[in-house]
Amino acid sequence: MIMHYQLLLKKYWGYDDFRGIQREIIESIGSGHDTLGLMPTGGGKSITFQVPALAQEGVCIVITPLIALMKDQVHHLRQLGIAAAAIYSGMQHEEVLRTLDNCILGSTKLLYVSPERLGSSLFQKKVSHMHVSFFTVDEAHCISQWGYDFRPSYLEIANIRLLHPDAPVLALTATATPRVVEDICDKLRGERSEVFRVFRMSFERKNLAYRVQHASDKLTALIQALSQPQHSSFIATPHSQRENVGSAIVYVRSRRHAREVAEHLCEAGLPATFYHAGLDHADKDRRQRDWQHDRVRIMVATNAFGMGIDKPDVRTVVHYDCPDSLEAYFQEAGRAGRDGLPAQAILLYNSSDDGKLQKRVDDTFPPRDYIKDVYEHLAYYYQIATGDGYGVSHEFHIEEFCQRFHHFPIRVHSALQILQRAGYIDYDEEADHQARVRFLVGRDDLYRLEKTTPDEERVIVALLRNYGGLFADYGYIDESTVAQQAGLTQPHTYDILMALSQRHLISFIPRRQVPYIRYMQRREDKEHVQIPRSIYEDRLEQYRERIGAMLRYVQTSDRCRSRMLLEYFGEKSDHNCGQCDVCLAEQEQLVTDEGQRNASKRILDLLGDHQRHHITELYRLQLPTEELNSALTWLIQEEHIQQADGFLVLTS
């Protein structure tokens, strides 16, 4: 079987052998053991489940929260000739059924689903009829209440395992402290008595230099950091010579900040764009493609950008705003240097960050009474009476809600997340509503249209060929499919659909993301709302600990950055990295100390005749000024020599 795994690796991916702990993980899950793999960003996680999935009968169900990642991986696997599929929000019901039925029939090897899908009765029913080889849980730290990115929907994984108790689970994560590792194994074990086999790949990134830069003016410091040769050469060289220049990511905290910082960088002559969750899909895709294909080199983004992005030549990752956990920082910084070449992760820090991090604690865990107020105002907003509302879903426009009830969006967002964990609501922040189209003219009228461009005709034909019933009612469409069929780019296809809608030939409702709130139980009176300690106080304390660890990291100036990060994740290191800001400062100090010792010896040799020498005689020694002054100060302070009236003499 080991040889079979290697043959599959060579056949589909072209690699001669596995790297790191890939082989150990594959052999463990292939032998039917529950397995946890701890692999840093860029460690090759996907290979550890894709190879054994091909080697076994049945379908591997891959649970991941990253829709963009699942689409990319399915597309890539299909290009390799591997039967893969994904189910995500926005798909038509018939398409979901067809995908699940193909898995039952055995024609699919890998099925990617979001954790939210696991609670669907339809999904559970279909899965019960599948031959499941094993389950893969990506971003497994999300199941742990002690993790920095806990998601309640991950708790459904234990229930879905009950449908196939003999199918093992492979959990994968790039960021987990020892406490989180223990919690992952406990949550996923279910009723199986077997202990998880845990494989750890060293989190050390020898090619990545971690640096904390104290900067009172962060914008100036950022421009300077990005104006280093690997970035400034991009401005002066033609496109054909830019392949090895390298890209950069700048992480900021807010959407507004992403746009503003990108604009400042462009004004400084540095090609940049920005990315955040508030952009529409077409805009996100365009900006990501521009960055991926080196049309711009710098991406300024919130943490919505980067998960699943596999761009190997990122030379620099800068955190403009201080992250609220070392887990988030390590994962985001780890997107630099995935090609193994030298890269740097710079964190800009100043004293104002302390207060900002403390404010995040207050915003993330608002007072209990405030949370209950938000719950009550939510009922007023939707006009839900006490005892009503169970199972009802509503669109949620946070700006309108905050304006009506005089709240701030950040605190409302946090209150809703806590209410979700307490089981009162389901708060879907990124409900994906697929584009919809309906023809407003009859089929015969379409053929008599005049002044229709060739591109418009291609889009109309693509709609008619791929989607039925559009003359009778709205139908969901996939803009990328229409674009591919029409032989056009997706942005151009979008513009054509909008133009046809403005001419009243079709009604086009673009794809959009609108948060949704669904009541998971009947509305309670405010005073009866219960928020367990495990959801509030315990998580608040854990969050404070993460903030404290982050502050200790940026404020420490006498310990190797890499060693600090490794120790946080439970990995001991017996050597310094030699390239972080702390190590470099120590090396510079060693050079300075050596120079001072040499200067001190030369001065003592001069005064060794026990005669008085005028201080100007020291210039004959031709020592660097800084070393000479440092040595002279030290010798006088330590009373090895005396100075009087401009003359120097040995003390003994």
Side-chain angles (χ1 to χ4, degrees):
M1 182 61 78
I2 295 174
M3 183 59 68
H4 184 42
Y5 292 144
Q6 201 158 333
L7 290 174
L8 289 171
L9 181 72
K10 181 66 175 179
K11 176 182 178 180
Y12 289 102
W13 287 274
Y15 301 128
D16 293 322
D17 203 354
F18 298 103
R19 59 189 176 95
I21 58 173
Q22 287 178 331
R23 181 188 298 275
E24 290 91 334
I25 292 175
I26 290 170
E27 291 174 359
S28 176
I29 192 66
S31 300
H33 302 290
D34 284 345
T35 306
L36 171 60
L38 299 167
M39 307 175 72
T41 302
K45 289 189 295 181
S46 58
I47 290 291
T48 63
F49 61 84
Q50 290 170 351
V51 169
L54 292 178
Q56 298 184 53
E57 294 294 327
V59 59
C60 169
I61 297 180
V62 184
I63 301 157
T64 174
L66 311 172
I67 293 178
L69 175 62
M70 68 169 73
K71 289 181 179 179
D72 288 345
Q73 290 204 2
V74 167
H75 176 70
H76 180 64
L77 289 168
R78 287 177 175 175
Q79 285 185 322
L80 296 176
I82 298 171
I87 297 177
Y88 46 86
S89 58
M91 291 176 64
Q92 296 185 50
H93 183 69
E94 295 77 11
E95 189 177 0
V96 172
L97 284 175
R98 184 169 62 252
T99 301
L100 292 172
D101 286 341
N102 285 338
C103 292
I104 293 173
L105 294 172
S107 57
T108 303
K109 297 303 296 181
L110 293 117
L111 173 65
Y112 289 76
V113 298
S114 66
E116 290 77 16
R117 180 69 56 174
L118 305 180
S120 161
S121 57
L122 170 64
F123 180 79
Q124 292 177 1
K125 182 178 179 181
K126 292 291 186 180
V127 168
S128 67
H129 295 291
M130 294 180 191
H131 179 188
V132 177
S133 55
F134 62 96
F135 296 96
T136 296
V137 182
D138 196 15
E139 307 297 329
H141 58 272
C142 294
I143 200 172
S144 171
Q145 64 174 327
W146 309 116
Y148 77 101
D149 194 20
F150 170 69
R151 304 190 187 190
S153 55
Y154 265 71
L155 298 176
E156 291 287 344
I157 297 173
N159 295 328
I160 209 75
R161 289 201 72 184
L162 296 176
L163 300 175
H164 292 277
D166 295 329
V169 64
L170 170 59
L172 298 167
T173 180
T175 49
T177 62
R179 186 180 192 182
V180 171
V181 168
E182 183 180 350
D183 201 30
I184 290 172
C185 297
D186 182 60
K187 292 289 196 306
L188 289 177
R189 184 176 296 115
E191 296 183 353
R192 288 168 67 103
S193 58
E194 181 188 11
V195 176
F196 263 76
R197 293 188 174 186
V198 180
F199 298 91
R200 291 179 172 87
M201 185 175 178
S202 175
F203 281 15
E204 184 177 11
R205 294 285 305 279
K206 294 183 179 180
N207 67 312
L208 183 56
Y210 299 100
R211 287 163 192 170
V212 175
Q213 182 174 342
H214 291 256
S216 56
D217 182 351
K218 288 191 176 185
L219 186 59
T220 299
L222 175 66
I223 292 172
Q224 290 175 346
L226 296 177
S227 297
Q228 299 304 313
Q230 66 265 35
H231 297 288
S232 59
S233 60
F234 169 76
I235 303 170
T237 56
H239 189 274
S240 60
Q241 299 175 11
R242 296 176 190 167
E243 283 76 5
N244 297 318
V245 173
S247 303
I249 305 173
V250 180
Y251 281 108
V252 296
R253 185 69 180 174
S254 70
R255 298 176 181 181
R256 178 179 60 83
H257 221 172
R259 184 188 70 254
E260 291 175 350
V261 170
E263 290 172 352
H264 283 302
L265 291 176
C266 289
E267 291 170 0
L270 297 168
T273 187
F274 65 92
Y275 185 106
H276 57 68
L279 299 172
D280 62 49
H281 286 280
D283 204 4
K284 285 180 182 177
D285 290 342
R286 183 172 63 254
R287 292 170 188 271
Q288 184 171 317
R289 283 197 306 271
D290 286 346
W291 182 75
Q292 287 274 19
H293 298 294
D294 298 333
R295 289 187 282 271
V296 293
R297 288 289 173 164
I298 302 167
M299 177 66 79
V300 185
T302 62
N303 59 8
F305 178 78
M307 296 295 284
I309 301 300
D310 188 14
K311 195 173 194 307
D313 67 339
V314 177
R315 300 268 66 83
T316 302
V317 170
V318 181
H319 279 83
Y320 194 90
D321 297 313
C322 195
D324 58 6
S325 73
L326 285 175
E327 290 95 332
Y329 174 69
F330 183 80
Q331 190 168 59
E332 291 162 3
R335 290 170 190 141
R338 294 181 67 167
D339 55 6
L341 298 177
Q344 58 181 345
I346 302 171
L347 197 163
L348 301 178
Y349 169 76
N350 59 41
S351 56
S352 67
D353 287 314
D354 298 6
K356 291 176 182 177
L357 286 175
Q358 182 54 51
K359 188 175 185 303
R360 286 187 210 172
V361 176
D362 299 333
D363 286 340
T364 305
F365 289 90
R368 284 174 172 271
D369 288 342
Y370 178 86
I371 298 169
K372 294 179 180 181
D373 285 341
V374 169
Y375 178 80
E376 185 173 53
H377 293 163
L378 206 60
Y380 296 160
Y381 185 60
Y382 294 125
Q383 298 184 345
I384 297 175
T386 302
D388 291 342
Y390 172 69
V392 177
S393 295
H394 305 272
E395 286 189 7
F396 183 65
H397 301 278
I398 192 167
E399 292 84 3
E400 180 185 358
F401 178 83
C402 290
Q403 187 175 13
R404 185 181 300 182
F405 297 101
H406 308 292
H407 292 303
F408 290 103
I410 293 177
R411 281 200 155 192
V412 167
H413 173 78
S414 298
L416 293 176
Q417 287 189 319
I418 293 171
L419 288 168
Q420 176 175 248
R421 293 177 185 132
Y424 288 97
I425 62 171
D426 180 26
Y427 176 39
D428 188 351
E429 303 170 55
E430 298 183 2
D432 196 354
H433 295 265
Q434 200 167 354
R436 290 181 290 165
V437 164
R438 179 183 180 182
F439 280 99
L440 300 179
V441 296
R443 185 182 294 270
D444 293 337
D445 295 326
L446 281 177
Y447 299 115
R448 293 193 291 268
L449 288 176
E450 297 180 0
K451 299 180 180 180
T452 303
T453 68
D455 286 351
E456 288 176 336
E457 290 177 1
R458 292 190 188 98
V459 170
I460 290 172
V461 169
L463 288 172
L464 295 175
R465 284 179 177 174
N466 289 279
Y467 305 99
L470 298 183
F471 292 98
D473 200 356
Y474 283 98
Y476 291 104
I477 66 165
D478 185 340
E479 293 172 45
S480 61
T481 300
V482 175
Q484 185 177 14
Q485 290 279 331
L488 305 171
T489 65
Q490 192 166 332
H492 186 38
T493 301
Y494 175 86
D495 292 339
I496 290 174
L497 290 168
M498 291 298 293
L500 293 173
S501 185
Q502 290 169 0
R503 291 171 59 189
H504 303 291
L505 302 177
I506 66 172
S507 175
F508 172 53
I509 302 175
R511 182 179 180 180
R512 61 188 181 130
Q513 282 188 337
V514 178
Y516 257 75
I517 286 179
R518 181 162 66 103
Y519 276 76
M520 304 303 292
Q521 55 182 273
R522 299 184 187 280
R523 182 211 160 178
E524 295 276 3
D525 286 328
K526 169 181 166 181
E527 57 269 20
H528 294 147
V529 172
Q530 300 293 322
I531 303 173
R533 178 181 178 82
S534 61
I535 289 171
Y536 191 84
E537 282 83 4
D538 289 351
R539 290 188 58 79
L540 170 59
E541 182 59 30
Q542 177 70 11
Y543 189 56
R544 283 176 174 154
E545 289 177 7
R546 287 201 297 270
I547 292 285
M550 191 74 239
L551 285 173
R552 285 191 295 276
Y553 177 81
V554 297
Q555 293 170 357
T556 297
S557 59
D558 60 354
R559 295 194 64 207
C560 170
R561 303 285 179 200
S562 179
R563 290 183 74 171
M564 290 178 68
L565 289 170
L566 293 175
E567 288 173 12
Y568 181 78
F569 291 109
E571 182 177 340
K572 298 297 182 182
S573 175
D574 58 0
H575 63 276
N576 292 340
C577 71
Q579 59 185 353
C580 70
D581 61 294
V582 175
C583 289
L584 291 177
E586 288 180 352
Q587 291 168 13
E588 291 176 5
Q589 186 61 45
L590 286 174
V591 171
T592 301
D593 291 345
E594 181 63 31
Q596 179 183 306
R597 284 193 293 271
N598 177 60
S600 298
K601 183 179 183 302
R602 298 279 299 279
I603 293 171
L604 292 173
D605 288 344
L606 175 67
L607 301 179
D609 58 4
H610 296 278
Q611 301 297 314
R612 297 171 72 223
H613 291 264
H614 196 272
I615 196 170
T616 55
E617 294 183 46
L618 297 180
Y619 295 120
R620 298 180 195 168
L621 301 177
Q622 297 184 333
L623 294 167
T625 302
E626 186 174 328
E627 293 178 4
L628 177 62
N629 291 337
S630 176
L632 188 59
T633 300
W634 182 79
L635 288 170
I636 293 172
Q637 287 177 345
E638 295 297 317
E639 299 182 354
H640 293 296
I641 64 176
Q642 291 179 337
Q643 180 184 8
D645 300 325
F647 286 88
L648 301 173
V649 65
L650 287 176
T651 55
S652 59

